[in-house]
Amino acid sequence: MLTKIQHAAIVSENFVREAKFYEAVFGMKRSKPGSAEEEKAIRTNYAVSISDGYVGVTVIGRKPGYVPGLHHFGIDVDDVDGAISRIKKKYPEVAVLKRPSNRPFATYGAHDPEGNYFDLTQEGMTNRRDVYVGSGREQPRRIHHLKLRVMNPAAIAAFYCDLFDLQEADKSLEDSNYYLTDGQVTLIIAPWKMSDFEGAGIDRPGLEHIGFKVESVEDVKKELSALRETNPEMRERIISEPSEGERRVALIASCRHGQHQCSSPDGVFVDVLDR
């Protein structure tokens, strides 16, 4: 089954600003900036979608009960009915839910055995729109990986490999993570341990950070610095206690792919690595 990791979603307190951050720093683009449809989405606190030409990111306005930050990811398959049949046969405890038609990517929603939610769709579905339709493009800065922390990484990695034919990349014997790739984007399945947060605020299991591959990490660092100076609203979130901030950044920096770590204005951790 042909599988592509082509969607991520962020819940944001200021979703317009959050989208502009990824546009300014990583060159992501909206399909119809300034359109009546987009203006309505902004007025109603709905969402804005941006893309690197392969992965679309929908930045969702926070509603009551929503938890801000990286929320879920999405998988595009060549046979969505076949994927659902696999899920029901091999993992009958996993629910698959038809999503409302106003979602620009999701046709169905499902979850892994630990409850991590993902969207599921197929090219040509009637709800697909915005940055999720049309021909792809290449750009020098693109999404490279998403990191998901779970209680049982071996079982969760097996779930995604078994159902969606993602390929497991090589790793060292001492590496406790699993690296599942569609050939373009990698889903890192990592263990969640409360002890990892000793001396810092504790995050629940779930998506930890998003990683971008760029033509020059040093250029990105300079641009981030300049952006913070010219537009204070674009500054990354600061953790009030320095020692806690150092502990959290060190945890993100343990990713084998990361070379520089920062956060978006809404506090989403971002990893940056050279091509």
Side-chain angles (χ1 to χ4, degrees):
M1 177 178 293
L2 181 63
T3 300
K4 299 176 182 178
I5 303 168
Q6 288 196 303
H7 170 63
I10 296 169
V11 172
S12 172
E13 293 282 5
N14 188 332
F15 66 100
V16 175
R17 179 190 63 190
E18 188 77 0
K20 286 181 177 178
F21 170 81
Y22 296 101
E23 289 180 283
V25 180
F26 299 107
M28 301 187 79
K29 299 184 185 302
R30 292 170 284 161
S31 63
K32 298 176 182 178
S35 67
E37 182 181 2
E38 184 181 83
E39 290 300 321
K40 180 181 178 181
I42 292 171
R43 286 197 312 273
T44 57
N45 190 37
Y46 180 56
V48 170
S49 293
I50 51 180
S51 173
D52 67 0
Y54 184 81
V55 180
V57 176
T58 298
V59 190
I60 304 166
R62 187 182 181 189
K63 285 84 171 172
Y66 280 39
V67 177
L70 276 172
H71 191 265
H72 64 271
F73 63 96
I75 297 172
D76 188 327
V77 296
D78 60 350
D79 181 4
V80 73
D81 291 332
I84 293 171
S85 295
R86 279 195 192 188
I87 292 171
K88 291 181 176 180
K89 179 178 180 180
K90 297 184 178 184
Y91 295 88
E93 73 279 12
V94 169
V96 180
L97 183 68
K98 180 76 172 177
R99 303 298 291 136
S101 61
N102 64 342
R103 269 50 176 180
F105 178 85
T107 307
Y108 295 92
H111 62 85
D112 64 33
E114 288 193 13
N116 297 294
Y117 163 63
F118 60 91
D119 284 331
L120 185 62
T121 192
Q122 177 182 330
E123 187 174 348
M125 289 291 182
T126 55
N127 68 295
R128 293 278 290 265
R129 66 180 191 278
D130 207 334
V131 299
Y132 300 102
V133 296
S135 58
R137 70 173 195 282
E138 292 187 5
Q139 61 176 57
R141 300 179 182 183
R142 66 172 182 83
I143 293 173
H144 174 266
H145 65 270
L146 294 164
K147 190 169 186 178
L148 176 66
R149 287 195 177 271
V150 300
M151 298 291 291
N152 189 339
I156 300 304
F159 170 86
Y160 288 108
C161 282
D162 190 29
L163 290 180
F164 301 110
D165 297 340
L166 294 169
Q167 299 302 305
E168 186 175 348
D170 292 337
K171 63 172 186 170
S172 62
L173 292 175
E174 62 272 16
D175 191 342
S176 58
N177 300 334
Y178 294 82
Y179 303 88
L180 313 182
T181 181
D182 65 2
Q184 178 103 342
V185 178
T186 298
L187 177 64
I188 304 172
I189 310 291
W192 182 91
K193 299 177 183 177
M194 187 173 284
S195 58
D196 286 336
F197 299 90
E198 185 174 357
I202 298 171
D203 266 351
R204 69 188 74 186
L207 285 170
E208 178 193 80
H209 73 261
I210 187 168
F212 282 83
K213 183 171 277 193
V214 302
E215 78 289 357
S216 169
V217 170
E218 289 305 313
D219 283 352
V220 170
K221 289 165 69 173
K222 292 175 184 175
E223 290 169 27
L224 282 167
S225 180
L227 184 64
R228 293 165 190 149
E229 291 298 321
T230 59
N231 190 346
E233 281 197 344
M234 290 294 187
R235 290 177 180 170
E236 61 185 308
R237 287 289 177 96
I238 302 298
I239 300 175
S240 58
E241 178 60 45
S243 61
E244 286 202 29
E246 292 169 4
R247 185 72 192 92
R248 292 301 307 277
V249 171
L251 188 59
I252 306 302
S254 66
C255 177
R256 78 175 188 182
H257 292 299
Q259 294 173 255
H260 176 69
Q261 292 73 41
C262 65
S263 82
S264 71
D266 246 23
V268 173
F269 278 114
V270 179
D271 236 351
V272 187
L273 64 151
D274 278 320
R275 286 188 176 274

